[in-house]
Amino acid sequence: MKINSAEFEISAPDLGSCPLWEEPEFAFIGRSNVGKSSLINLLTERRNLAMVSDLPGKTKLINFFLINKAWRLVDLPGYGYAKVRLKRRLEFNDAVANFLAGRRNLRTIFVLIDSRLPPQAIDLEFLRWLEGIKAPYALVFTKTDKQSLQQGRANIAVFLKAVAGWRAEAPDYLTSSSTTKAGRREILEFIQGILAKPLVV
Ligand SMILES: Nc1nc2c(ncn2[C@@H]2O[C@H](COP(=O)(O)OP(=O)(O)OP(=O)(O)O)[C@@H](O)[C@H]2O)c(=O)[nH]1
Ligand SMILES: [Mg+2]
């Protein structure tokens, strides 16, 4: 899929402040620093569309980007950093939890997982919560450039094993590297596939 236009539109502090648009949305969530904002820049091939930082906790609001004037990418604040720690019942960030659970036009939530790490309790806890609310999601294993292909594959296999049995089928998953641009085409194709599907209400 070709990205002809990508524009930042608005930042909102909570679900109630988000405009009630009809266009399909794709949100990016995951631990702070996992690479959510970088992935949005990779997909759109815009260097500074979403704000990236070495310091975790950079993205603090719900940020909307209009793509090809037809659908949106949504950059969310991460979880797992200092005081915004994931607590019981996802009190970590009510705004994000409410958005993920209550946003009507959200077609898929991309849950980013650091491909270098063994399964982290906080990610598993978050995914359990997503399963609980029956939200549509796909995993994206990020930063694949930081280790060998073999090591990355082994880590992904361990993670998938940790979530096996939570549902009938394994979750969809993709990989990405904002450094080598690996995964860009596949993620855009995945989005295109969802956009092509009629919405079942
Ligand atoms: N090597 C490498 N570094 C990456 C990749 N993706 C992100 N980074 C780096 O990781 C750091 C965090 O990236 P961000 O995109 O800001 O992460 P985020 O998930 O949006 O973080 P918060 O907004 O704080 O939740 C930055 O220093 C990025 O340059 C990747 O695929 N490979
Ligand atoms: Mg960010």
Side-chain angles (χ1 to χ4, degrees):
M1 172 167 43
K2 202 165 177 305
I3 304 294
N4 298 312
S5 66
E7 307 152 50
F8 166 72
E9 279 179 304
I10 198 171
S11 296
D14 51 34
L15 178 62
S17 314
C18 295
L20 293 173
W21 285 312
E22 291 299 321
E23 292 85 1
E25 290 175 353
F26 299 85
F28 296 79
I29 184 68
R31 283 191 311 128
S32 289
N33 225 39
V34 70
K36 301 175 290 296
S37 303
S38 302
L39 182 53
I40 288 180
N41 292 338
L42 170 69
L43 294 177
T44 56
E45 290 185 303
R46 308 293 195 276
R47 198 176 282 270
N48 296 311
L49 188 65
M51 280 195 282
V52 169
S53 168
D54 289 343
L55 300 173
K58 176 70 180 174
T59 307
K60 294 189 174 66
L61 295 165
I62 302 169
N63 299 294
F64 293 90
F65 302 92
L66 179 64
I67 312 300
N68 293 351
K69 312 235 180 256
W71 47 277
R72 289 185 176 82
L73 298 176
V74 186
D75 194 12
L76 294 169
Y79 53 76
Y81 170 61
K83 289 185 187 129
V84 288
R85 195 173 232 117
L86 185 70
K87 287 195 230 146
R88 249 176 201 285
R89 295 165 150 259
L90 221 77
E91 288 158 24
F92 79 109
N93 188 327
D94 283 348
V96 173
N98 289 339
F99 181 83
L100 294 177
R103 186 72 169 169
R104 270 188 38 251
N105 47 333
L106 201 50
R107 297 293 295 271
T108 287
I109 299 161
F110 289 105
V111 183
L112 276 60
I113 306 288
D114 191 325
S115 68
R116 296 169 300 175
L117 304 178
Q120 302 289 294
I122 201 162
D123 289 326
L124 297 175
E125 195 182 331
F126 176 76
L127 284 172
R128 271 206 180 278
W129 176 79
L130 264 191
E131 289 280 350
I133 63 167
K134 298 201 185 330
Y137 73 88
L139 304 176
V140 182
F141 293 93
T142 64
K143 307 195 185 185
T144 54
D145 55 283
K146 292 236 186 183
Q147 84 254 293
S148 69
L149 192 61
Q150 203 179 16
Q151 185 60 55
R153 282 192 183 141
N155 290 347
I156 291 170
V158 171
F159 193 93
L160 293 176
K161 210 169 167 191
V163 301
W166 288 9
R167 46 199 265 166
E169 289 164 29
D172 288 320
Y173 77 92
L174 299 137
T175 60
S176 75
S177 164
S178 60
T179 309
T180 67
K181 302 193 175 182
R184 177 177 184 271
R185 190 174 47 84
E186 290 81 0
I187 296 170
L188 287 177
E189 273 173 13
F190 186 87
I191 289 174
Q192 191 166 29
I194 292 168
L195 288 172
K197 272 190 219 159
L199 195 57
V200 184
V201 214

